[in-house]
């Protein structure tokens, strides 16, 4: 095995590279580092809706989302290229009053990141990359019951009936889709774009490597749902988002070919979106996602 010090292959933003020993060819000089890890991921989501500049609704959600992290990194001399994929593992539910949900809501999160980095000086690495992330909310149907008269009468939970009679619709949009026999209601929040950052690492008494990293992302953001199935009536808000990431990582070899890592990281995405297709003129949303992740896993040096 070529001499190589890794601060973190889980987060390419925190890799520490040293010059490997000379080899016969390019592929013999490349060190490959596959990784697998399990994650405890906490997602905090806050949203405000505005109509013509006036706040009309707001809500939040706080969910714990168990996830799996997979990554594959190639290292050549002082440069590296890393691909990382994260996916929620099982159904995670949280009480939500995010606009149009207002019920226990299933939460999913997926992230894909491609990073190129270079060891510019001593233990300092600079990196650039591209990321895509998607959060999906699937609320349960909610039709509250009015028991003020003791007869357990449901509130108005049919949008068409409410419109025809002038009564206020009391259910959520998941209930409306259920009433219409059109399946599950979903909201999706996507971010994609470029990021830049830096990482620094310290070798601790030849035992392992402690590293920190900081990154900023300039992203496009889309918020949409599936309530209106027709292309000419769909709900879609689009805009920009700023992303920030701060992480700390511990990496230690167990054998010449196997090591483990522990990674604590927080990401924050602040998005401002507005009506993208003229179907809901004047509608805007401010959304903030804070994702805190603790990952424990294994890495191999090939």
């Amino acid at each position: 095995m070529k001499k190589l010090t890794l601060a973190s292959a889980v987060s390419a933003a925190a890799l520490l590279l040293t010059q490997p020993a000379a080899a016969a060819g390019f592929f013999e000089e490349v060190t490959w580092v596959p990784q697998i890890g399990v994650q405890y991921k906490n997602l905090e989501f806050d949203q405000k809706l505005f109509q013509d500049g006036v706040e009309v609704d707001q809500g939040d959600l706080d969910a714990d989302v168990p996830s799996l992290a997979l990554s594959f990194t190639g290292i050549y001399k002082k440069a590296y290229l890393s691909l990382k994929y994260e996916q929620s593992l099982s159904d995670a539910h949280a009480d939500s009053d995010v606009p149009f949900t207002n019920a226990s809501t299933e939460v999913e999160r997926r992230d894909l990141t491609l990073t190129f980095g270079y060891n510019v000086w001593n233990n300092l690495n600079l990196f650039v990359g591209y990321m895509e992330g998607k959060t999906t909310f699937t609320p349960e149907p909610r039709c509250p019951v009015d028991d003020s008269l003791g007869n357990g009468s449901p509130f108005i939970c049919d949008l068409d009936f409410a419109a025809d009679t002038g009564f206020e619709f009391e259910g959520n949009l998941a209930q409306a889709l259920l009433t219409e026999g059109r399946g599950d209601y979903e909201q999706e929040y996507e971010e994609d774009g470029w990021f830049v950052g830096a990482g620094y690492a310290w070798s601790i008494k030849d035992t392992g490597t402690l590293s920190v990293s900081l990154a900023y992302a300039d992203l496009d953001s889309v918020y949409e749902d599936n309530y209106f199935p027709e292309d000419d009536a769909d709900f879609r808000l689009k805009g920009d988002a700023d992303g920030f990431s701060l992480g700390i990582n511990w990496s230690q070899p167990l054998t010449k070919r196997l090591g483990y890592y522990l990674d604590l990281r927080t990401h924050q995405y602040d998005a401002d979106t507005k009506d993208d297709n003229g179907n809901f003129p004047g509608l805007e949303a401010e959304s903030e996602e804070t994702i805190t992740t603790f990952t424990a896993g294994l890495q191999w040096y090939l």
Side-chain angles (χ1 to χ4, degrees):
M1 178 181 175
K2 300 176 288 297
K3 180 177 176 58
L4 174 69
T5 302
L6 282 176
S8 168
V10 153
S11 172
L15 282 170
L16 169 63
L17 305 172
T18 61
Q19 182 71 29
F26 170 77
F27 286 103
E28 293 184 23
E29 290 189 68
V30 177
T31 297
W32 305 103
V33 187
Q35 297 176 310
I36 184 170
V38 292
Q39 295 182 327
Y40 165 80
K41 180 175 290 187
N42 175 262
L43 185 148
E44 298 179 28
F45 185 90
D46 293 273
Q47 186 182 77
K48 295 180 180 179
L49 286 183
F50 299 86
Q51 180 66 50
D52 298 322
V54 178
E55 183 178 323
V56 293
D57 203 354
Q58 65 175 331
D60 56 29
L61 173 151
D62 190 327
D64 296 326
V65 188
S67 302
L68 178 70
L70 302 172
S71 68
F72 192 75
T73 303
I75 302 167
Y76 177 69
K77 296 185 178 180
K78 292 189 175 185
Y80 65 87
L81 184 67
S82 181
L83 180 66
K84 183 179 181 182
Y85 178 74
E86 297 175 307
Q87 174 67 56
S88 51
L89 281 174
S90 59
D91 294 346
H93 287 81
D95 291 334
S96 171
D97 59 0
V98 173
F100 311 125
T101 62
N102 301 309
S104 177
T105 297
E106 181 181 336
V107 180
E108 297 180 44
R109 177 70 189 186
R110 185 195 71 201
D111 291 277
L112 181 65
T113 306
L114 179 66
T115 307
F116 172 77
Y118 194 81
N119 179 222
V120 294
W121 174 77
N122 197 8
N123 297 337
L124 177 65
N125 300 285
L126 300 181
F127 56 87
V128 297
Y130 185 84
M131 66 83 64
E132 294 180 352
K134 178 190 287 188
T135 298
T136 303
F137 295 153
T138 307
E140 296 178 355
R142 177 178 176 272
C143 184
V145 172
D146 179 8
D147 203 29
S148 59
L149 299 179
N151 58 3
S153 301
F155 286 97
I156 302 299
C157 290
D158 184 319
L159 274 176
D160 292 334
F161 180 78
D164 291 342
T165 60
F167 287 99
E168 181 178 356
F169 176 69
E170 295 288 352
N172 61 5
L173 289 189
Q175 176 66 40
L177 279 186
L178 178 65
T179 301
E180 298 168 18
R182 295 200 284 121
D184 295 331
Y185 171 71
E186 291 185 348
Q187 292 182 357
E188 292 184 350
Y189 300 85
E190 296 186 60
E191 311 92 24
D192 67 273
W194 297 93
F195 61 87
V196 297
Y200 195 86
W202 298 267
S203 181
I204 309 298
K205 296 182 179 181
D206 296 324
T207 300
T209 305
L210 180 68
S211 61
V212 295
S213 64
L214 178 67
Y216 167 76
D218 184 19
L219 308 170
D220 294 325
S221 180
V222 175
Y223 159 37
E224 58 188 351
D225 71 15
N226 65 340
Y227 181 76
F228 295 99
E230 301 84 3
D231 290 339
D232 60 349
D234 61 329
F235 178 90
R236 180 182 173 89
L237 306 185
K238 188 174 181 180
D240 301 317
D242 292 319
F244 300 91
S245 175
L246 177 64
I248 182 170
N249 179 281
W250 171 257
S251 177
Q252 182 175 354
L254 298 172
T255 69
K256 289 184 177 180
R257 296 290 183 183
L258 177 66
Y260 77 93
Y261 65 88
L262 303 172
D263 187 271
L264 179 63
R265 197 161 300 275
T266 184
H267 306 271
Q268 182 170 313
Y269 305 106
D270 296 320
D272 294 316
T273 55
K274 60 183 179 180
D275 177 56
D276 182 50
N277 50 22
N279 291 332
F280 298 88
L283 186 63
E284 300 180 7
E286 293 181 358
S287 305
E288 179 180 298
E289 289 180 272
T290 302
I291 302 173
T292 302
T293 302
F294 176 74
T295 309
L298 297 173
Q299 56 193 26
W300 291 262
Y301 315 115
L302 307 178

